[in-house]
Amino acid sequence: MKIFADYHTHTIYSDGKGTIEENVKAAIAKNLEIIGISDHGYKHMGFGVKHHLFEKMRYEVDLLSEKYPQIKIMLGVECNILDDRGNIDIDDKILKYFDYLMAGYHFGSAPTKWVRGIRNHFNNYVRTFNKFEKDYNTRALVNAMKNNDIFILTHPGDKGEVDIMEVAEASIETNTLLEINAHHKNLTIDQLLKIKTLDVKYVLGSDSHTPENVGNFDLAIQRALEAEIDFSRIYNARR
Ligand SMILES: [Zn+2]
Ligand SMILES: [Zn+2]
């Protein structure tokens, strides 16, 4: 089995340690056929890419594509899911720069409605079991997939509990890949087992924050193996 693409890598444009070129070189060294650069959406208060820098990233990716024709370099973004209506931090000014969109829930994202949003972040952070937050988190992920053209839903259920069956059903309906993330614990083995009978499509992501970890899927592969996920369901794997 070969994993031929890594769509989830971060660079110094957000909280990664390497440049785009360093991630590309690392991907070539690991014989990947496709490398995706996918830094954090601009509404992440800690390390979102500054809105005006996406244009520069696009330019850099295009230059590097000419320099390294042996690999396909794509520009994505890991948008923040901002509320339970499924709003994400993308707009028409920047949408044109990306080859694909990913979206995930992150603590540091700026809520669209401050009181409700901060309460959601806080309750998720302290991990109080709270059915209201679980429902809110689930609606957030489901509506994000329904209201946006998202290629990959990153680490579903990380940092905020969700009803994974509902999320999985919405992913099928909207043709969205659910990520098995090598850097975070989700999808967990438990989650994978729960949705195993559904026709879900997965993708493995390194979520690398250093060039060395580009193409490092070890922990994700382990969980996929343990849950006995059929590899034909994994978008970036082939025999
Ligand atoms: Zn993330
Ligand atoms: Zn990430």
Side-chain angles (χ1 to χ4, degrees), residues 3 5-9 102 152 178-184 186 203-208 213 215-220 223 236:
I3 314 293
D6 191 353
Y7 296 100
H8 194 164
T9 76
M102 314 200 298
I152 295 171
L178 295 189
E179 184 191 45
I180 307 175
N181 185 300
H183 180 71
H184 293 290
N186 301 78
V203 63
L204 305 178
S206 72
D207 202 353
S208 66
N213 271 331
N216 176 359
F217 304 104
D218 292 354
L219 294 175
R223 299 202 300 274
N236 54 345

Side-chain angles (χ1 to χ4, degrees), residues 8-10 14-15 38-40 78 102 106 154-155 179 181 183-184 206-209:
H8 194 164
T9 76
H10 294 277
S14 62
D15 59 340
S38 56
D39 278 305
H40 289 281
E78 187 179 11
M102 314 200 298
H106 302 97
T154 61
H155 44 67
E179 184 191 45
N181 185 300
H183 180 71
H184 293 290
S206 72
D207 202 353
S208 66
H209 287 70

